[in-house]
Amino acid sequence: MVRAAELIQRKRDGFGLSAHDLRELVLGYTRGDVPDYQMAAFCMAVYFRGLSSAETFAFTEAMIESGETIDLHASLGRTVVDKHSTGGVGDKTSLAVGPIVAACGVPFGKMSGRGLGHTGGTLDKLESIPGFRVELAADEFVAQVRDIGIAIIGQTADLVPADKLLYGLRDVTATIENVSLIASSIMSKKIAAGADAIVLDVKVGDGAFMKTPDSARALAREMLELGERAGRRVVCVLTDMDQPLGRAVGNALEIRETVETLCGFGPPDFTELVIEATAHLLVLSDLGIDEPEARARARGAIDDGGAMAAYERWIRAQGGDPDGDALPVAPVVRTVAAPRDGYIEALGAIAIGSAALHLGAGRATKDATIDHAVGVRCLKKRGDAVRQGEPLAEVHARNGAAADDAEREVLAAYTIGHDAPDHRPIVLETIA
């Protein structure tokens, strides 16, 4: 029998728990032997008392043990790499990084999720491509990574089922914001999915879960330690999310921007982050190259067309049509004009994300349907000069009324001042 009440009391009173205790609790909850109300009480005790490094690792191991695991290295005989982001507005980085990595000869295998909030998750963006299949069996996933060099799919039901249960519980019991629980949730899925090397993109700022560099740094170090304990090679990059990443916010819009970037003419901040993440993955791979060489190869894959060719092979392999003309288009496109001359001092990521959500690009509830065509394109970003009447952004909407509301929201997201703000790099810090 799982001694759930005793374990809750011990954690509530500040005492440590053994790996055996944490394993029994997590597996008992997954089996249904521990009810939601007891697991919610445990999560609240952890929220206030925290977990030690040893407890966090034991908790993560138990999460992994709750389901099946995939050993990509054993199946392919190669180092397989993966990338994860803690989420942000306009973050489509994995969609560009994966094809570039594959074009450089390194297998890229990723299990991803759907979005709740601002815009869709990686799977929702991919599903804006007609015919694209996000649900592949584990053996299909492994075969595609081996044969095509890249696969991004939905998490299978048998992979870390404890996390799916726990995340849903934490979401409705105000116990999301705990570094150990966040790190365990992310890393249990990354480790179980089988990649040998992982780049973690930890967003910082207005549009991120971690609002300050200190909190983002703490999460990054926790995940780094979990990866190392599990025998994975991990690099964390802290990146700016005080404004949307790139220009596009919205599912099909972000796919188009991904293709533009793979062809060499994507937004500067997005391109910079894509090259940064790709270079780290190539260094962590079995190519045996250093960072300058990795950056050169990443840029070379874009310049010689290899990245775009890898993208097209990948999309076709999962049943999709890679032709940009096949993507859905919103019926109404509205230009948002600058009300005065000046410089863009700030562009609120949350405000733009909320505008996209209200247009239908994201989910307010788990069961909501996403409109893949709608969203916002931010034509002017922080530091750009602007003249009165010049386009600031585009609203892509289903109808005129929705466009009217979004136009007001987007305009309110911009702060226009007299002086250009200091430049802020997209990559704030690297922790390895």
Side-chain angles (χ1 to χ4, degrees):
M1 294 292 294
V2 183
R3 301 167 289 112
E6 179 184 334
L7 300 183
I8 294 165
Q9 182 179 356
R10 285 184 59 79
K11 179 48 64 178
R12 180 201 68 187
D13 294 341
F15 294 101
L17 300 177
S18 70
H20 172 77
D21 287 339
L22 290 165
R23 177 181 180 276
E24 289 302 304
L25 183 67
V26 171
L27 296 184
Y29 178 57
T30 308
R31 291 193 304 267
D33 297 338
V34 176
D36 275 349
Y37 60 83
Q38 285 189 313
M39 201 63 184
F42 175 77
C43 289
M44 188 60 76
V46 170
Y47 180 87
F48 284 111
R49 291 294 190 174
L51 294 174
S52 68
S53 294
E55 287 175 315
T56 304
F57 182 62
F59 194 76
T60 305
E61 281 195 311
M63 300 260 281
I64 295 168
E65 192 179 338
S66 72
E68 297 179 353
T69 59
I70 298 173
D71 189 343
L72 287 170
H73 187 97
S75 298
L76 275 70
R78 292 281 312 277
T79 296
V80 180
V81 302
D82 186 5
K83 183 209 147 285
H84 178 80
S85 168
T86 57
V89 181
D91 184 12
K92 72 290 289 181
T93 313
S94 295
L95 303 179
V97 167
I100 301 173
V101 168
C104 292
V106 173
F108 182 94
K110 176 178 174 62
M111 289 190 179
S112 195
R114 301 187 184 280
L116 181 61
H118 316 311
T119 56
T122 298
L123 298 184
D124 300 301
K125 300 179 204 301
L126 287 169
E127 284 184 331
S128 66
I129 301 171
F132 191 93
R133 292 192 306 140
V134 299
E135 306 299 335
L136 299 183
D139 56 345
E140 290 180 286
F141 172 61
V142 172
Q144 185 173 309
V145 174
R146 180 184 61 241
D147 299 338
I148 304 297
I150 174 177
I152 298 180
I153 67 170
Q155 181 182 331
T156 68
D158 296 327
L159 195 84
V160 199
D163 177 67
K164 183 176 182 179
L165 293 170
L166 267 174
Y167 191 88
L169 183 68
R170 288 166 54 216
D171 190 40
V172 296
T173 57
T175 52
I176 290 287
E177 296 93 340
N178 175 272
V179 165
S180 293
L181 294 178
I182 296 169
S184 180
S185 174
I186 292 171
M187 292 306 294
S188 62
K189 290 177 285 193
K190 293 291 103 180
I191 294 166
D196 304 287
I198 307 160
V199 166
L200 299 168
D201 178 1
V202 182
K203 302 296 186 187
V204 187
D206 171 62
F209 196 69
M210 314 309 284
K211 302 298 183 184
T212 67
D214 284 346
S215 62
R217 206 173 287 121
L219 176 59
R221 287 173 176 156
E222 191 88 63
M223 293 191 293
L224 192 68
E225 183 173 349
L226 288 174
E228 289 173 345
R229 280 175 176 252
R232 303 305 199 265
R233 300 181 66 195
V234 182
V235 169
C236 295
V237 289
L238 274 56
T239 63
D240 175 48
M241 189 38 72
D242 270 339
Q243 66 174 347
L245 178 63
R247 299 188 186 95
V249 180
N251 301 283
L253 296 176
E254 293 184 44
I255 292 291
R256 288 191 180 89
E257 188 162 278
T258 295
V259 170
E260 291 169 2
T261 303
L262 292 173
C263 291
F265 48 93
D269 60 337
F270 181 49
T271 300
E272 180 184 343
L273 179 53
V274 166
I275 296 297
E276 178 83 10
T278 301
H280 285 304
L281 288 174
L282 296 182
V283 170
L284 292 174
S285 76
D286 52 17
L287 291 182
I289 59 177
D290 60 14
E291 190 168 329
E293 175 65 16
R295 288 179 181 277
R297 292 197 188 188
R299 293 189 182 279
I302 294 173
D303 293 342
D304 67 13
M308 191 59 202
Y311 171 83
E312 292 175 344
R313 285 195 302 273
W314 163 42
I315 301 303
R316 289 195 181 99
Q318 289 186 230
D321 183 347
D323 188 343
D325 291 338
L327 292 167
V329 176
V332 177
V333 179
R334 177 79 54 80
T335 298
V336 180
R340 58 185 174 276
D341 295 354
Y343 292 89
I344 307 302
E345 286 187 352
L347 173 57
I350 285 291
I352 294 294
S354 295
L357 172 63
H358 297 151
L359 285 165
R363 291 185 181 86
T365 65
K366 291 180 181 178
D367 298 326
T369 300
I370 277 186
D371 186 338
H372 292 101
V374 302
V376 178
R377 289 187 69 238
C378 301
L379 305 178
K380 295 291 184 179
K381 302 282 293 289
R382 188 176 54 220
D384 289 342
V386 64
R387 306 283 297 187
Q388 182 177 359
E390 188 177 3
L392 285 177
E394 288 177 354
V395 168
H396 293 243
R398 185 55 53 186
N399 54 57
D404 291 341
D405 292 341
E407 183 178 358
R408 286 189 290 269
E409 288 188 87
V410 169
L411 191 58
Y414 279 91
T415 301
I416 301 175
H418 296 295
D419 300 312
D422 293 337
H423 173 71
R424 187 184 309 167
I426 185 68
V427 179
L428 305 175
E429 186 176 342
T430 300
I431 301 175

